[in-house]
Amino acid sequence: SRPPNPRPEQWMFYLNICFFDCDVASELTGHMLLSTFLSLLSVVACNAARSYFLANDGSDSASGATESDPWQTIDKLNTVSGTNAFLSGDAIYFKRGHTFRGQLILSPTWTGIKSPVYVTSYGDSALPQPVISGSLLVPSNAVWRQQAGSIYVLNLTATFSQPVASIGSVFFNGSPLTLARWPNANAQGSSNFATMSGMTASVLLSASFAAKPSGYWNGATAVFRANDQYYQASKVVADSFSYGSPSSLTIADSAPTLPSGTGFYLENVLSELDAHGECHFNANDKLLYVW
């Protein structure tokens, strides 16, 4: 069971990092964890129109124009996009050994063939390259409320200054949590599936369901394993249970023709939060539940 006060500094919510309509001259690699994680790998010599410097120990009230007077956050850098935008040949320098959280938005103003916007690093070459992480780190003073038993809940609106409309993934101590689901993932960590007995248009039939109250699965996400490489997800908008015959779920989108025996599972239903390492996100109330 989870301790009464989980170590909030260990929790991270992963969102997306986006680059728009620009060339990125530094060498970037992406490490996918259901969301985007970028590391800056090389230093690029830049003949820039303007330079912007960022460091964790900087200040957003600084000029941001020199190594000795850097900005602190990506949010401050993004105000360039919102006001006078980046110019051809501009350079953005992230300090080595530092991690920067947020969504980096590059929206240059030019068209045609021009010099790119350069994204690179500066500082002690012996230190690791800077990291841009599309995540929110839960602060150490975050308030976790015990919901019931081993389930704890965090109010994201009260915890973060910026709105959190959705969550791509939740990590604890570097390990991803699973959205509360039925059937549960098995003990080995690989997915466990229920099986379809048929599908017509947007109605899924299965004899696997246990009887539940009407509307129990409404709002859940149905995830279909079309084949070993392809999964499709759709919201459940209605359910129907009947004894002696397959029960049905109506989904929001017309699914492709899937044969009898296709595997599926249902996720992100709070009442299915029943195993260690699971979580549930209530998008309406911006509440995160964890086990």
Side-chain angles (χ1 to χ4, degrees), residues 1-2 148 150-152 177 273-279 289-291:
S1 63
R2 192 167 303 285
S150 297
I151 299 175
Y152 290 81
L177 301 189
L273 182 57
D274 58 2
H276 178 73
E278 288 190 336
C279 65
Y289 298 80
V290 300
W291 182 298

Side-chain angles (χ1 to χ4, degrees), residues 140-265:
S140 59
N141 62 349
V143 178
W144 291 88
R145 175 174 57 84
Q146 187 175 20
Q147 175 76 4
S150 297
I151 299 175
Y152 290 81
V153 59
L154 181 69
N155 186 318
L156 303 189
T157 301
T159 303
F160 298 105
S161 58
Q162 68 266 50
V164 180
S166 62
I167 290 178
S169 300
V170 180
F171 290 80
F172 180 70
N173 283 343
S175 299
L177 301 189
T178 301
L179 283 175
R181 52 167 285 177
W182 176 88
N184 284 336
N186 64 29
Q188 286 70 43
S190 60
S191 294
N192 189 26
F193 295 88
T195 55
M196 289 171 34
S197 55
M199 173 172 280
T200 58
S202 59
V203 178
L204 177 157
L205 299 175
S206 178
S208 300
F209 297 114
K212 299 289 185 181
S214 177
Y216 180 87
W217 295 112
N218 288 3
T221 298
V223 181
F224 306 98
R225 183 176 60 180
N227 56 53
D228 289 341
Q229 290 78 39
Y230 177 69
Y231 289 75
Q232 177 172 332
S234 183
K235 289 291 185 184
V236 175
V237 295
D239 57 26
S240 175
F241 297 94
S242 56
Y243 291 97
S245 62
S247 300
S248 68
L249 296 178
T250 302
I251 60 176
D253 306 310
S254 293
T257 301
L258 298 172
S260 176
T262 295
F264 74 96
Y265 60 87

Side-chain angles (χ1 to χ4, degrees), residues 51-55 57-72 76 95 122:
S51 296
Y52 303 94
F53 291 85
L54 287 88
D57 53 358
S59 170
D60 286 348
S61 60
S63 69
T66 64
E67 292 186 30
S68 60
D69 199 31
W71 287 335
Q72 184 180 52
K76 177 61 177 179
K95 193 168 185 177
Y122 75 99

